[in-house]
Amino acid sequence: GQNIDQPTEMTATEGAIVQINCTYQTSGFNGLFWYQQHAGEAPTFLSYNVLDGLEEKGRFSSFLSRSKGYSYLLLKELQMKDSASYLCAVSDSNYQLIWGAGTKLIIKP
Amino acid sequence: SAVISQKPSRDICQRGTSLTIQCQVDSQVTMMFWYRQQPGQSLTLIATANQGSEATYESGFVIDKFPISRPNLTFSTLTVSNMSPEDSSIYLCSVATADSYNEQFFGPGTRLTVL
């Protein structure tokens, strides 16, 4: 079967760094996405990885290891507005997105 | 990217009635999807809306309960039929374009409460 695992909830301090992990087992792989979703809002795109390595975009970076079926999202210089759910999704062999359950990130002052 | 609007943004409905949700995109898109997101949960794909043919439904979802239309490349509707309180959820439309490496853009969602 297809499976995406990520922690249910994480807590971090404003100004700190947090890493949200995602492991996956899917039938085929056409890339991995990270989305941010604030409470009551639609998900918004953060990053896309299809090759191994680190993609950096401002305060956010995303890493992929295809051989390990593993990705992480790294958030630096955390701000209160980063409090949200972070969704990991994998595009499978049919280019359909398989979604993880999401990680709720709580930022404390 | 694509700009997506959904109507209604929210509704409160009585058990046994039906609600049709509209999704409008500001450009022609290849693929349109309908998701459900229950409180505190991640996204569950209901179906892929295909232009000019029947929608492709995921396991656990059937056309009689969730009929979908897609008359052109910029518009789709999802109907939630014969509603029960278990259908209370957020319904999201998303689209993917051929030049966006299958990145999906989401509409603002429709928050449905069934009494």
Side-chain angles (χ1 to χ4, degrees):
Chain A
Q2 310 209 88
N3 196 47
I4 311 278
D5 284 318
Q6 49 181 133
T8 304
E9 187 174 297
M10 299 182 71
T11 302
T13 306
E14 190 177 16
I17 299 173
V18 71
Q19 177 175 311
I20 303 174
N21 295 324
C22 171
T23 58
Y24 64 89
Q25 289 178 302
T26 57
S27 56
F29 180 83
N30 281 302
L32 184 144
F33 296 83
W34 283 96
Y35 281 79
Q36 180 190 61
Q37 186 176 27
H38 285 102
E41 298 182 12
T44 55
F45 170 79
L46 286 178
S47 69
Y48 171 74
N49 294 69
V50 67
L51 300 176
D52 290 350
L54 187 69
E55 295 277 344
E56 297 187 76
K57 193 186 293 185
R59 293 189 299 114
F60 293 6
S61 303
S62 56
F63 171 83
L64 175 68
S65 168
R66 288 172 296 171
S67 63
K68 295 182 180 177
Y70 168 70
S71 173
Y72 67 73
L73 179 69
L74 191 72
L75 292 78
K76 303 176 184 175
E77 301 168 19
L78 285 169
Q79 301 175 10
M80 297 303 292
K81 68 178 182 179
D82 297 329
S83 292
S85 287
Y86 292 85
L87 307 174
C88 173
V90 172
S91 178
D92 69 6
S93 55
N94 296 317
Y95 293 94
Q96 189 169 105
L97 285 185
I98 312 300
W99 294 86
T103 298
K104 182 178 180 181
L105 178 63
I106 299 167
I107 309 296
K108 295 185 174 179
Chain B
S1 65
V3 177
I4 306 160
S5 59
Q6 279 184 240
K7 288 183 188 179
S9 58
R10 58 178 63 228
D11 207 343
I12 300 173
C13 301
Q14 295 297 321
R15 180 196 297 262
T17 62
S18 297
L19 175 73
T20 295
I21 303 168
Q22 299 179 5
C23 177
Q24 179 75 55
V25 191
D26 69 341
S27 58
Q28 294 186 341
V29 294
T30 312
M31 305 178 81
M32 295 181 79
F33 306 91
W34 286 99
Y35 286 91
R36 182 170 73 183
Q37 187 175 32
Q38 296 183 310
Q41 309 269 325
S42 190
L43 303 168
T44 302
L45 181 64
I46 297 171
T48 301
N50 304 309
Q51 196 268 328
S53 64
E54 264 191 19
T56 305
Y57 288 84
E58 297 302 305
S59 176
F61 298 96
V62 295
I63 188 171
D64 289 346
K65 175 68 176 177
F66 297 101
I68 287 171
S69 78
R70 189 168 176 199
N72 56 52
L73 293 175
T74 64
F75 185 78
S76 177
T77 67
L78 168 75
T79 299
V80 186
S81 304
N82 188 24
M83 287 185 284
S84 67
E86 292 71 37
D87 294 320
S88 297
S89 189
I90 297 174
Y91 291 85
L92 292 152
C93 165
S94 77
V95 305
T97 62
D99 61 352
S100 67
Y101 41 74
N102 299 298
E103 172 193 342
Q104 291 188 22
F105 302 94
F106 285 85
T110 296
R111 184 179 295 271
L112 172 62
T113 302
V114 184
L115 303 177

